Coordinates of all heavy atoms in Angstrom, one line a residue:
M1 N -66.0 -15.3 50.6 CA -66.2 -16.4 49.6 C -67.0 -15.9 48.4 O -66.5 -16.1 47.3 CB -66.8 -17.6 50.2 CG -67.0 -18.7 49.3 SD -65.5 -19.6 49.2 CE -66.1 -21.1 48.4
K2 N -68.1 -15.2 48.7 CA -68.9 -14.7 47.6 C -68.2 -13.6 46.8 O -68.3 -13.6 45.6 CB -70.2 -14.2 48.2 CG -71.3 -14.1 47.2 CD -72.6 -13.7 47.9 CE -73.8 -13.9 46.9 NZ -75.0 -13.7 47.6
N3 N -67.4 -12.8 47.5 CA -66.7 -11.7 46.9 C -65.6 -12.3 46.0 O -65.3 -11.8 44.9 CB -66.1 -10.8 48.0 CG -65.6 -9.5 47.4 OD1 -66.0 -9.1 46.3 ND2 -64.7 -8.9 48.1
E4 N -64.9 -13.4 46.5 CA -63.9 -14.1 45.7 C -64.5 -14.7 44.4 O -63.9 -14.6 43.3 CB -63.3 -15.2 46.5 CG -62.4 -14.7 47.6 CD -61.9 -15.9 48.5 OE1 -62.0 -17.0 48.0 OE2 -61.4 -15.6 49.6
M5 N -65.7 -15.2 44.5 CA -66.4 -15.7 43.3 C -66.7 -14.6 42.3 O -66.5 -14.7 41.1 CB -67.7 -16.5 43.6 CG -67.4 -17.8 44.4 SD -66.8 -19.0 43.2 CE -68.3 -19.4 42.4
R6 N -67.1 -13.5 42.8 CA -67.4 -12.3 42.0 C -66.2 -11.8 41.3 O -66.2 -11.5 40.1 CB -68.1 -11.2 42.8 CG -68.6 -10.1 42.0 CD -69.4 -9.1 42.8 NE -70.7 -9.7 43.1 CZ -71.3 -9.4 44.2 NH1 -70.9 -8.5 45.1 NH2 -72.5 -10.0 44.5
C7 N -65.1 -11.8 41.9 CA -63.8 -11.4 41.3 C -63.4 -12.3 40.2 O -62.9 -12.0 39.2 CB -62.7 -11.2 42.4 SG -62.9 -9.8 43.4
A8 N -63.5 -13.6 40.5 CA -63.2 -14.6 39.5 C -64.1 -14.5 38.3 O -63.6 -14.6 37.1 CB -63.3 -16.0 40.1
D9 N -65.4 -14.2 38.5 CA -66.3 -14.1 37.4 C -65.9 -12.8 36.6 O -65.9 -12.9 35.3 CB -67.7 -13.9 37.9 CG -68.3 -15.2 38.4 OD1 -67.7 -16.3 38.1 OD2 -69.4 -15.1 39.1
V10 N -65.6 -11.7 37.2 CA -65.2 -10.5 36.5 C -63.9 -10.8 35.7 O -63.8 -10.4 34.5 CB -64.9 -9.4 37.5 CG1 -64.3 -8.2 36.8 CG2 -66.3 -9.0 38.2
R11 N -62.9 -11.5 36.3 CA -61.7 -11.8 35.5 C -62.0 -12.7 34.3 O -61.5 -12.4 33.2 CB -60.7 -12.5 36.4 CG -59.9 -11.5 37.3 CD -58.8 -12.2 38.0 NE -59.2 -12.1 39.4 CZ -59.1 -13.0 40.3 NH1 -58.7 -14.2 40.0 NH2 -59.5 -12.8 41.5
L12 N -62.9 -13.6 34.5 CA -63.3 -14.5 33.4 C -63.9 -13.7 32.3 O -63.6 -13.9 31.1 CB -64.2 -15.6 33.9 CG -64.7 -16.6 32.8 CD1 -63.5 -17.3 32.2 CD2 -65.7 -17.6 33.4
W13 N -64.8 -12.8 32.6 CA -65.5 -12.0 31.6 C -64.5 -11.1 30.9 O -64.7 -10.8 29.7 CB -66.7 -11.2 32.2 CG -67.9 -12.1 32.4 CD1 -68.4 -12.6 33.5 CD2 -68.7 -12.6 31.3 NE1 -69.5 -13.4 33.2 CE2 -69.7 -13.4 31.9 CE3 -68.6 -12.5 29.9 CZ2 -70.7 -14.1 31.1 CZ3 -69.6 -13.2 29.2 CH2 -70.6 -13.9 29.8
R14 N -63.6 -10.5 31.6 CA -62.6 -9.7 31.0 C -61.8 -10.5 30.0 O -61.5 -10.0 28.9 CB -61.6 -9.1 32.0 CG -62.2 -8.0 32.8 CD -61.2 -7.5 33.8 NE -61.8 -6.4 34.7 CZ -61.2 -6.0 35.8 NH1 -60.0 -6.5 36.2 NH2 -61.8 -5.1 36.5
I15 N -61.4 -11.7 30.3 CA -60.6 -12.5 29.4 C -61.5 -12.8 28.2 O -61.0 -12.7 27.0 CB -60.2 -13.8 30.1 CG1 -59.1 -13.5 31.1 CG2 -59.7 -14.8 29.1 CD1 -58.8 -14.7 32.0
V16 N -62.7 -13.2 28.4 CA -63.6 -13.5 27.2 C -63.8 -12.3 26.4 O -63.8 -12.3 25.1 CB -65.0 -14.0 27.8 CG1 -66.0 -14.1 26.6 CG2 -64.9 -15.3 28.4
L17 N -64.0 -11.1 27.0 CA -64.2 -9.8 26.2 C -62.9 -9.5 25.4 O -63.0 -9.2 24.2 CB -64.5 -8.7 27.2 CG -64.7 -7.3 26.5 CD1 -65.9 -7.4 25.6 CD2 -64.9 -6.3 27.6
I18 N -61.8 -9.6 26.0 CA -60.5 -9.3 25.3 C -60.3 -10.3 24.2 O -59.9 -9.9 23.1 CB -59.3 -9.3 26.3 CG1 -59.5 -8.0 27.2 CG2 -58.0 -9.2 25.6 CD1 -58.5 -8.0 28.4
A19 N -60.5 -11.5 24.4 CA -60.4 -12.6 23.4 C -61.3 -12.3 22.3 O -61.0 -12.4 21.1 CB -60.6 -14.0 24.0
G20 N -62.6 -11.9 22.6 CA -63.5 -11.6 21.5 C -63.1 -10.4 20.7 O -63.3 -10.4 19.5
I21 N -62.5 -9.4 21.3 CA -62.1 -8.2 20.5 C -61.0 -8.7 19.6 O -61.0 -8.3 18.4 CB -61.6 -7.1 21.5 CG1 -62.7 -6.5 22.2 CG2 -60.8 -6.1 20.7 CD1 -62.4 -5.6 23.4
F22 N -60.0 -9.5 20.0 CA -58.9 -9.9 19.2 C -59.4 -10.8 18.0 O -59.0 -10.6 16.9 CB -57.8 -10.7 20.0 CG -56.9 -9.8 20.7 CD1 -56.9 -9.9 22.1 CD2 -56.2 -8.8 20.1 CE1 -56.1 -9.0 22.8 CE2 -55.3 -8.0 20.8 CZ -55.3 -8.1 22.2
V23 N -60.3 -11.7 18.3 CA -60.8 -12.6 17.3 C -61.6 -11.8 16.3 O -61.5 -11.9 15.1 CB -61.7 -13.7 17.9 CG1 -62.5 -14.5 16.8 CG2 -60.8 -14.7 18.7
T24 N -62.5 -10.9 16.7 CA -63.3 -10.1 15.8 C -62.4 -9.2 15.0 O -62.6 -9.1 13.8 CB -64.3 -9.3 16.6 OG1 -65.1 -10.2 17.4 CG2 -65.2 -8.5 15.7
G25 N -61.4 -8.6 15.7 CA -60.5 -7.7 14.9 C -59.8 -8.4 13.9 O -59.6 -7.9 12.7
A26 N -59.3 -9.6 14.2 CA -58.5 -10.4 13.2 C -59.4 -10.8 12.1 O -59.0 -10.8 10.9 CB -57.9 -11.6 13.9
T27 N -60.6 -11.1 12.4 CA -61.6 -11.5 11.3 C -61.8 -10.3 10.4 O -61.9 -10.5 9.2 CB -62.9 -12.0 11.9 OG1 -62.6 -13.1 12.8 CG2 -63.8 -12.5 10.8
L28 N -62.0 -9.1 10.9 CA -62.3 -8.0 10.1 C -61.1 -7.5 9.3 O -61.2 -7.0 8.2 CB -62.8 -6.8 11.0 CG -64.1 -7.1 11.7 CD1 -64.5 -5.9 12.6 CD2 -65.3 -7.2 10.7
V29 N -59.9 -7.6 9.9 CA -58.7 -7.1 9.2 C -58.1 -8.1 8.2 O -57.5 -7.7 7.2 CB -57.6 -6.8 10.3 CG1 -56.3 -6.4 9.7 CG2 -58.2 -5.7 11.2
T30 N -58.3 -9.4 8.4 CA -57.7 -10.4 7.6 C -58.3 -10.4 6.2 O -59.5 -10.5 6.0 CB -57.9 -11.8 8.2 OG1 -57.4 -11.8 9.5 CG2 -57.2 -12.9 7.3
P31 N -57.5 -10.2 5.1 CA -58.1 -10.2 3.8 C -58.5 -11.6 3.3 O -58.0 -12.6 3.9 CB -56.9 -9.7 2.9 CG -55.7 -10.0 3.7 CD -56.1 -9.9 5.1
A32 N -59.4 -11.7 2.4 CA -59.8 -13.0 1.9 C -58.6 -13.7 1.2 O -57.8 -13.0 0.5 CB -60.9 -12.8 0.8
A33 N -58.4 -14.9 1.6 CA -57.3 -15.7 1.0 C -57.5 -16.0 -0.4 O -58.6 -16.4 -0.8 CB -57.1 -16.9 1.8
E34 N -56.5 -15.8 -1.2 CA -56.6 -16.2 -2.6 C -56.0 -17.6 -2.8 O -55.0 -17.9 -2.1 CB -55.9 -15.2 -3.5 CG -56.5 -13.8 -3.5 CD -55.8 -12.9 -4.4 OE1 -55.0 -13.3 -5.3 OE2 -55.9 -11.7 -4.2
A35 N -56.5 -18.4 -3.7 CA -56.0 -19.7 -3.9 C -54.6 -19.6 -4.6 O -54.4 -18.7 -5.5 CB -56.9 -20.5 -4.9
A36 N -53.6 -20.3 -4.1 CA -52.3 -20.3 -4.7 C -52.3 -21.0 -6.0 O -53.0 -21.9 -6.2 CB -51.3 -21.0 -3.8
P37 N -51.6 -20.4 -7.0 CA -51.6 -21.0 -8.3 C -51.0 -22.4 -8.2 O -50.1 -22.7 -7.4 CB -50.7 -20.1 -9.1 CG -50.0 -19.2 -8.2 CD -50.7 -19.2 -6.9
A38 N -51.4 -23.3 -9.1 CA -51.0 -24.6 -9.1 C -49.5 -24.6 -9.6 O -49.1 -23.9 -10.5 CB -51.8 -25.5 -10.1
F39 N -48.7 -25.5 -9.0 CA -47.3 -25.6 -9.4 C -47.2 -26.3 -10.8 O -47.9 -27.3 -11.0 CB -46.5 -26.4 -8.4 CG -45.1 -26.7 -8.8 CD1 -44.2 -25.7 -8.8 CD2 -44.7 -28.0 -9.3 CE1 -42.9 -26.0 -9.2 CE2 -43.4 -28.2 -9.6 CZ -42.5 -27.2 -9.6
V40 N -46.4 -25.7 -11.6 CA -46.2 -26.3 -13.0 C -45.0 -27.2 -12.9 O -43.9 -26.7 -12.5 CB -46.1 -25.2 -14.0 CG1 -45.8 -25.8 -15.4 CG2 -47.3 -24.3 -14.1
S41 N -45.1 -28.4 -13.4 CA -43.9 -29.3 -13.4 C -43.3 -29.1 -14.8 O -43.8 -29.7 -15.8 CB -44.3 -30.7 -13.1 OG -43.2 -31.5 -13.2
C42 N -42.2 -28.4 -14.9 CA -41.5 -28.2 -16.2 C -40.6 -29.3 -16.5 O -40.0 -29.9 -15.6 CB -40.8 -26.9 -16.1 SG -41.9 -25.4 -15.9
P43 N -40.4 -29.6 -17.8 CA -39.4 -30.6 -18.2 C -38.0 -30.1 -17.8 O -37.7 -29.0 -17.6 CB -39.5 -30.7 -19.7 CG -40.5 -29.7 -20.1 CD -41.0 -28.9 -18.9
T44 N -37.1 -31.1 -17.7 CA -35.7 -30.8 -17.5 C -35.1 -29.8 -18.5 O -35.4 -29.9 -19.7 CB -34.8 -32.1 -17.5 OG1 -35.4 -33.0 -16.6 CG2 -33.4 -31.8 -17.2
G45 N -34.4 -28.8 -18.0 CA -33.9 -27.8 -18.9 C -34.8 -26.5 -19.0 O -34.4 -25.5 -19.6
D46 N -36.0 -26.6 -18.4 CA -36.9 -25.5 -18.4 C -37.1 -25.0 -17.0 O -36.7 -25.6 -16.0 CB -38.3 -25.9 -18.9 CG -38.3 -26.1 -20.4 OD1 -37.2 -26.1 -21.1 OD2 -39.4 -26.3 -21.0
Y47 N -37.7 -23.8 -16.8 CA -38.1 -23.3 -15.5 C -39.5 -22.7 -15.6 O -39.9 -22.4 -16.7 CB -37.1 -22.2 -15.0 CG -37.0 -20.9 -15.9 CD1 -37.8 -19.8 -15.5 CD2 -36.2 -20.8 -17.0 CE1 -37.8 -18.7 -16.2 CE2 -36.2 -19.7 -17.8 CZ -37.0 -18.6 -17.4 OH -37.0 -17.4 -18.1
E48 N -40.1 -22.5 -14.5 CA -41.4 -21.9 -14.4 C -41.3 -20.4 -14.3 O -40.7 -19.9 -13.3 CB -42.2 -22.5 -13.3 CG -43.6 -22.0 -13.2 CD -44.4 -22.5 -12.0 OE1 -43.9 -23.4 -11.3 OE2 -45.5 -22.1 -11.7
N49 N -41.9 -19.6 -15.2 CA -41.8 -18.2 -15.1 C -42.9 -17.6 -14.3 O -43.8 -18.3 -13.7 CB -41.7 -17.5 -16.5 CG -43.0 -17.5 -17.3 OD1 -44.0 -18.0 -16.8 ND2 -42.9 -17.0 -18.5
V50 N -43.0 -16.3 -14.2 CA -44.1 -15.6 -13.4 C -45.5 -15.9 -13.9 O -46.4 -15.8 -13.1 CB -43.8 -14.1 -13.3 CG1 -42.5 -13.8 -12.6 CG2 -43.9 -13.4 -14.6
D51 N -45.6 -16.3 -15.1 CA -46.9 -16.6 -15.7 C -47.3 -18.1 -15.5 O -48.3 -18.6 -16.0 CB -47.0 -16.3 -17.2 CG -46.9 -14.8 -17.4 OD1 -47.3 -14.0 -16.6 OD2 -46.3 -14.4 -18.5
H52 N -46.4 -18.8 -14.8 CA -46.5 -20.3 -14.6 C -46.5 -21.0 -15.9 O -47.1 -22.0 -16.1 CB -47.8 -20.6 -13.8 CG -48.0 -19.8 -12.5 ND1 -47.1 -20.1 -11.5 CD2 -48.7 -18.7 -12.2 CE1 -47.4 -19.2 -10.5 NE2 -48.4 -18.4 -10.9
A53 N -45.6 -20.5 -16.8 CA -45.4 -21.2 -18.1 C -44.0 -21.7 -18.0 O -43.1 -21.1 -17.4 CB -45.5 -20.2 -19.2
C54 N -43.7 -22.8 -18.7 CA -42.4 -23.4 -18.7 C -41.6 -22.7 -19.8 O -42.1 -22.5 -21.0 CB -42.4 -24.9 -19.0 SG -43.2 -25.8 -17.7
V55 N -40.4 -22.2 -19.5 CA -39.5 -21.5 -20.4 C -38.1 -22.2 -20.4 O -37.6 -22.6 -19.4 CB -39.3 -20.0 -20.0 CG1 -38.4 -19.3 -20.9 CG2 -40.7 -19.3 -19.9
Q56 N -37.6 -22.3 -21.6 CA -36.2 -22.9 -21.7 C -35.2 -22.1 -21.0 O -35.2 -20.9 -21.0 CB -35.9 -23.0 -23.2 CG -34.6 -23.7 -23.5 CD -34.3 -23.8 -25.0 OE1 -35.2 -23.6 -25.8 NE2 -33.0 -24.0 -25.3
R57 N -34.3 -22.8 -20.3 CA -33.2 -22.1 -19.5 C -32.2 -21.5 -20.5 O -32.1 -21.9 -21.6 CB -32.5 -23.1 -18.6 CG -33.4 -23.5 -17.4 CD -32.5 -24.2 -16.4 NE -33.4 -24.7 -15.3 CZ -33.8 -23.9 -14.3 NH1 -33.5 -22.7 -14.3 NH2 -34.6 -24.4 -13.4
P58 N -31.5 -20.4 -20.1 CA -30.5 -19.8 -20.9 C -29.5 -20.8 -21.3 O -29.2 -21.8 -20.6 CB -29.9 -18.7 -20.0 CG -31.0 -18.4 -19.0 CD -31.7 -19.7 -18.8
E59 N -28.9 -20.6 -22.5 CA -27.9 -21.5 -23.0 C -26.7 -20.8 -23.7 O -26.9 -19.7 -24.2 CB -28.5 -22.6 -23.9 CG -29.0 -22.1 -25.2 CD -29.6 -23.2 -26.1 OE1 -30.5 -23.9 -25.7 OE2 -29.1 -23.3 -27.3
Q60 N -25.6 -21.4 -23.6 CA -24.4 -20.9 -24.3 C -24.5 -21.5 -25.8 O -24.8 -22.6 -26.0 CB -23.1 -21.4 -23.6 CG -21.9 -20.8 -24.1 CD -21.8 -19.3 -23.7 OE1 -22.3 -18.9 -22.6 NE2 -21.1 -18.5 -24.5
S61 N -24.2 -20.6 -26.7 CA -24.2 -21.1 -28.1 C -23.4 -20.1 -29.0 O -23.2 -18.9 -28.7 CB -25.7 -21.0 -28.6 OG -25.7 -21.4 -30.0
Q62 N -22.8 -20.7 -30.1 CA -22.0 -19.8 -31.0 C -22.9 -19.0 -31.9 O -22.5 -18.0 -32.4 CB -21.1 -20.8 -31.8 CG -20.0 -21.5 -31.0 CD -19.1 -20.5 -30.3 OE1 -18.7 -19.5 -30.8 NE2 -18.7 -20.9 -29.1
T63 N -24.1 -19.5 -32.1 CA -25.1 -18.8 -33.0 C -26.4 -18.6 -32.1 O -26.6 -19.3 -31.1 CB -25.5 -19.7 -34.2 OG1 -26.0 -20.9 -33.8 CG2 -24.2 -19.9 -35.1
V64 N -27.2 -17.7 -32.6 CA -28.4 -17.4 -31.9 C -29.4 -18.6 -32.0 O -29.8 -19.0 -33.1 CB -29.1 -16.1 -32.4 CG1 -30.4 -15.9 -31.7 CG2 -28.2 -14.9 -32.4
P65 N -29.7 -19.2 -30.8 CA -30.6 -20.3 -30.9 C -32.1 -19.9 -31.3 O -32.5 -18.8 -31.0 CB -30.7 -20.8 -29.4 CG -29.5 -20.2 -28.7 CD -29.3 -18.9 -29.5
A66 N -32.8 -20.8 -31.9 CA -34.2 -20.5 -32.3 C -35.0 -20.2 -31.0 O -34.9 -20.9 -30.1 CB -34.8 -21.7 -33.0
G67 N -35.7 -19.1 -31.1 CA -36.6 -18.8 -29.9 C -35.9 -17.9 -28.9 O -36.6 -17.4 -28.0
A68 N -34.6 -17.7 -29.0 CA -33.9 -16.8 -28.0 C -34.5 -15.4 -28.1 O -34.7 -14.9 -29.2 CB -32.4 -16.8 -28.2
T69 N -34.7 -14.7 -27.0 CA -35.2 -13.4 -27.0 C -34.2 -12.3 -26.5 O -34.4 -11.1 -26.8 CB -36.4 -13.3 -26.1 OG1 -36.1 -13.7 -24.8 CG2 -37.6 -14.1 -26.6
V70 N -33.1 -12.8 -25.9 CA -32.2 -11.8 -25.4 C -30.8 -12.5 -25.2 O -30.7 -13.7 -25.0 CB -32.7 -11.3 -24.0 CG1 -32.8 -12.4 -23.0 CG2 -31.8 -10.2 -23.4
Q71 N -29.7 -11.7 -25.4 CA -28.4 -12.2 -25.1 C -28.0 -11.5 -23.8 O -28.0 -10.3 -23.6 CB -27.4 -11.9 -26.2 CG -26.1 -12.5 -25.9 CD -25.1 -12.5 -27.1 OE1 -25.2 -11.6 -27.9 NE2 -24.1 -13.3 -27.0
C72 N -27.5 -12.3 -22.9 CA -27.1 -11.9 -21.6 C -25.6 -11.4 -21.6 O -24.9 -11.7 -22.6 CB -27.2 -13.0 -20.5 SG -28.9 -13.7 -20.4
R73 N -25.2 -10.6 -20.6 CA -23.9 -10.1 -20.6 C -22.8 -11.1 -20.5 O -21.7 -10.9 -20.9 CB -23.7 -9.1 -19.4 CG -24.5 -7.8 -19.7 CD -24.1 -6.7 -18.6 NE -24.9 -5.5 -18.9 CZ -25.3 -4.7 -18.0 NH1 -25.1 -5.0 -16.7 NH2 -26.0 -3.6 -18.3
D74 N -23.2 -12.3 -20.0 CA -22.2 -13.4 -19.9 C -22.1 -14.2 -21.2 O -21.4 -15.2 -21.3 CB -22.4 -14.3 -18.7 CG -23.7 -15.1 -18.9 OD1 -24.5 -15.0 -19.8 OD2 -24.0 -15.9 -17.9
G75 N -22.9 -13.7 -22.2 CA -22.8 -14.4 -23.5 C -23.9 -15.4 -23.7 O -24.1 -15.9 -24.9
E76 N -24.6 -15.9 -22.7 CA -25.6 -16.9 -22.9 C -26.9 -16.2 -23.5 O -27.1 -15.0 -23.4 CB -26.0 -17.5 -21.5 CG -24.8 -18.4 -21.0 CD -25.3 -19.4 -20.0 OE1 -26.5 -19.6 -19.8 OE2 -24.4 -20.1 -19.5
Y77 N -27.6 -17.1 -24.2 CA -28.9 -16.6 -24.8 C -30.0 -17.1 -23.9 O -30.1 -18.2 -23.4 CB -29.0 -17.2 -26.2 CG -28.1 -16.6 -27.2 CD1 -26.8 -17.2 -27.4 CD2 -28.4 -15.5 -27.8 CE1 -25.9 -16.7 -28.3 CE2 -27.5 -14.9 -28.7 CZ -26.2 -15.5 -29.0 OH -25.4 -15.0 -29.9
S78 N -31.0 -16.1 -23.7 CA -32.1 -16.4 -22.8 C -33.4 -16.4 -23.7 O -33.5 -15.8 -24.7 CB -32.2 -15.3 -21.7 OG -33.4 -15.5 -21.0
F79 N -34.4 -17.1 -23.1 CA -35.7 -17.3 -23.8 C -36.7 -16.6 -23.0 O -37.9 -16.9 -23.0 CB -36.0 -18.8 -24.0 CG -34.9 -19.5 -24.8 CD1 -33.8 -20.0 -24.2 CD2 -35.0 -19.6 -26.2 CE1 -32.8 -20.6 -24.9 CE2 -34.0 -20.2 -26.9 CZ -32.9 -20.7 -26.2
A80 N -36.3 -15.5 -22.2 CA -37.2 -14.8 -21.3 C -38.4 -14.3 -22.1 O -38.3 -13.9 -23.2 CB -36.4 -13.6 -20.7
Q81 N -39.5 -14.3 -21.4 CA -40.8 -13.8 -22.0 C -41.2 -12.4 -21.4 O -42.2 -11.9 -21.8 CB -41.9 -14.8 -21.8 CG -41.6 -16.1 -22.5 CD -42.6 -17.2 -22.3 OE1 -43.5 -17.0 -21.4 NE2 -42.5 -18.3 -23.0
H82 N -40.4 -11.9 -20.5 CA -40.6 -10.6 -19.9 C -39.3 -9.9 -19.6 O -38.3 -10.6 -19.5 CB -41.3 -10.7 -18.5 CG -42.6 -11.4 -18.6 ND1 -43.8 -10.7 -18.9 CD2 -43.0 -12.7 -18.4 CE1 -44.8 -11.6 -18.9 NE2 -44.4 -12.8 -18.6
H83 N -39.3 -8.6 -19.6 CA -38.1 -7.8 -19.3 C -37.6 -8.1 -17.8 O -36.4 -8.3 -17.6 CB -38.3 -6.3 -19.4 CG -38.3 -5.9 -20.9 ND1 -37.4 -5.0 -21.4 CD2 -39.1 -6.3 -21.9 CE1 -37.6 -4.8 -22.7 NE2 -38.6 -5.6 -23.0
R84 N -38.6 -8.1 -16.9 CA -38.2 -8.2 -15.5 C -37.6 -9.6 -15.2 O -38.2 -10.6 -15.5 CB -39.5 -8.0 -14.6 CG -39.2 -8.0 -13.2 CD -40.4 -7.7 -12.4 NE -40.1 -7.8 -10.9 CZ -41.0 -7.6 -10.0 NH1 -42.2 -7.5 -10.3 NH2 -40.6 -7.7 -8.7
G85 N -36.4 -9.6 -14.7 CA -35.8 -10.8 -14.3 C -35.0 -11.5 -15.4 O -34.3 -12.5 -15.2
A86 N -35.1 -10.9 -16.6 CA -34.3 -11.5 -17.7 C -32.8 -11.4 -17.5 O -32.3 -10.4 -17.0 CB -34.7 -10.8 -19.0
C87 N -32.1 -12.5 -17.7 CA -30.7 -12.6 -17.5 C -30.2 -12.4 -16.0 O -29.1 -12.1 -15.8 CB -29.9 -11.7 -18.4 SG -30.1 -12.1 -20.2
S88 N -31.2 -12.6 -15.1 CA -30.7 -12.5 -13.7 C -29.8 -13.7 -13.4 O -30.1 -14.8 -13.9 CB -31.9 -12.5 -12.7 OG -32.7 -13.7 -12.9
G89 N -28.7 -13.5 -12.8 CA -27.8 -14.5 -12.6 C -26.8 -14.7 -13.8 O -25.9 -15.6 -13.8
H90 N -27.0 -13.9 -14.8 CA -26.1 -13.9 -16.0 C -25.5 -12.6 -16.3 O -25.1 -12.3 -17.4 CB -26.9 -14.5 -17.2 CG -27.4 -15.9 -17.0 ND1 -26.6 -17.0 -17.3 CD2 -28.5 -16.4 -16.5 CE1 -27.2 -18.1 -17.0 NE2 -28.4 -17.7 -16.5
G91 N -25.5 -11.7 -15.3 CA -24.9 -10.4 -15.5 C -25.8 -9.3 -16.0 O -25.4 -8.2 -16.4
G92 N -27.0 -9.7 -16.3 CA -28.0 -8.7 -16.8 C -28.1 -8.8 -18.3 O -27.4 -9.7 -18.9
V93 N -28.9 -8.0 -18.9 CA -29.1 -8.0 -20.4 C -28.1 -7.3 -21.1 O -27.7 -6.2 -20.8 CB -30.5 -7.4 -20.7 CG1 -30.7 -7.2 -22.2 CG2 -31.6 -8.2 -20.1
D94 N -27.5 -7.9 -22.2 CA -26.6 -7.3 -23.1 C -27.4 -6.6 -24.2 O -27.3 -5.4 -24.4 CB -25.6 -8.2 -23.7 CG -24.6 -7.5 -24.6 OD1 -23.8 -6.7 -24.1 OD2 -24.7 -7.8 -25.9
H95 N -28.3 -7.3 -24.8 CA -29.2 -6.7 -25.8 C -30.3 -7.7 -26.1 O -30.2 -8.9 -26.0 CB -28.4 -6.4 -27.1 CG -27.8 -7.5 -27.9 ND1 -26.6 -8.0 -27.5 CD2 -28.3 -8.2 -28.9 CE1 -26.4 -9.1 -28.4 NE2 -27.4 -9.2 -29.2
W96 N -31.5 -7.1 -26.5 CA -32.7 -7.8 -26.8 C -32.6 -8.3 -28.3 O -32.2 -7.5 -29.1 CB -33.9 -7.0 -26.5 CG -34.1 -6.8 -25.0 CD1 -33.7 -5.8 -24.3 CD2 -34.8 -7.7 -24.2 NE1 -34.0 -6.0 -22.9 CE2 -34.7 -7.2 -22.9 CE3 -35.4 -9.0 -24.4 CZ2 -35.2 -7.9 -21.8 CZ3 -36.0 -9.6 -23.3 CH2 -35.9 -9.1 -22.0
L97 N -33.1 -9.5 -28.5 CA -33.2 -10.0 -29.8 C -34.6 -10.0 -30.4 O -34.8 -10.1 -31.6 CB -32.7 -11.4 -29.9 CG -31.3 -11.7 -29.3 CD1 -31.0 -13.1 -29.1 CD2 -30.3 -11.1 -30.2
A98 N -35.6 -9.9 -29.5 CA -37.0 -9.9 -29.8 C -37.8 -9.0 -28.9 O -37.3 -8.7 -27.8 CB -37.5 -11.3 -29.8
S99 N -38.9 -8.6 -29.3 CA -39.8 -7.7 -28.5 C -40.6 -8.6 -27.5 O -41.2 -9.6 -27.9 CB -40.7 -6.9 -29.3 OG -41.6 -6.2 -28.6
V100 N -40.5 -8.3 -26.2 CA -41.2 -9.0 -25.2 C -41.9 -8.0 -24.3 O -41.4 -6.9 -24.2 CB -40.3 -10.0 -24.4 CG1 -39.8 -11.1 -25.2 CG2 -39.3 -9.3 -23.6
P101 N -43.0 -8.4 -23.6 CA -43.6 -7.4 -22.7 C -42.7 -7.0 -21.5 O -41.8 -7.7 -21.1 CB -44.8 -8.2 -22.1 CG -45.0 -9.4 -23.0 CD -43.6 -9.7 -23.6
N102 N -42.9 -5.8 -21.1 CA -42.2 -5.3 -19.9 C -42.7 -6.0 -18.7 O -42.5 -6.4 -17.9 CB -42.3 -3.8 -19.7 CG -41.6 -3.0 -20.8 OD1 -40.5 -3.5 -21.2 ND2 -42.0 -1.9 -21.2

């Protein structure tokens, strides 16, 4: 009986020790969480870009719309503020109309 209690105690301590290693390891390895940026509610016809700014969606036009920065391969004009992702879903960039950051 005493031997059975001792085995149970040893098993319990092993579980506690192993759990402690996992908890401590996870605490040491887990990076500090960064606050997620606030969601921007853009007006209809706009989208939220990587800078969390509202940007006008691409549009079809016979003339270059004011503020357009790029013409896409499908003919639509985009108001992209960065090279990355410009005209995605529109066949890519045909040509740039204005200088924007890479």
Side-chain angles (χ1 to χ4, degrees):
M1 178 82 165
K2 199 171 193 177
N3 195 22
E4 290 174 14
M5 289 290 284
R6 188 171 287 148
C7 288
D9 288 345
V10 169
R11 276 188 249 135
L12 178 63
W13 279 110
R14 283 183 185 165
I15 291 169
V16 169
L17 179 62
I18 291 169
I21 290 170
F22 282 118
V23 170
T24 304
T27 303
L28 295 175
V29 175
T30 305
E34 294 181 20
F39 174 73
V40 176
S41 180
C42 296
T44 303
D46 287 7
Y47 67 94
E48 181 182 356
N49 73 2
V50 297
D51 294 327
H52 307 289
C54 294
V55 178
Q56 184 177 341
R57 291 194 181 280
E59 67 178 55
Q60 190 71 31
S61 178
Q62 296 299 322
T63 59
V64 179
T69 56
V70 60
Q71 185 170 21
C72 303
R73 288 188 181 148
D74 67 358
E76 291 202 7
Y77 290 93
S78 174
F79 303 86
Q81 297 177 350
H82 300 279
H83 283 241
R84 186 176 179 185
C87 295
S88 60
H90 295 273
V93 172
D94 183 63
H95 63 277
W96 288 94
L97 305 168
S99 179
V100 298
N102 287 329

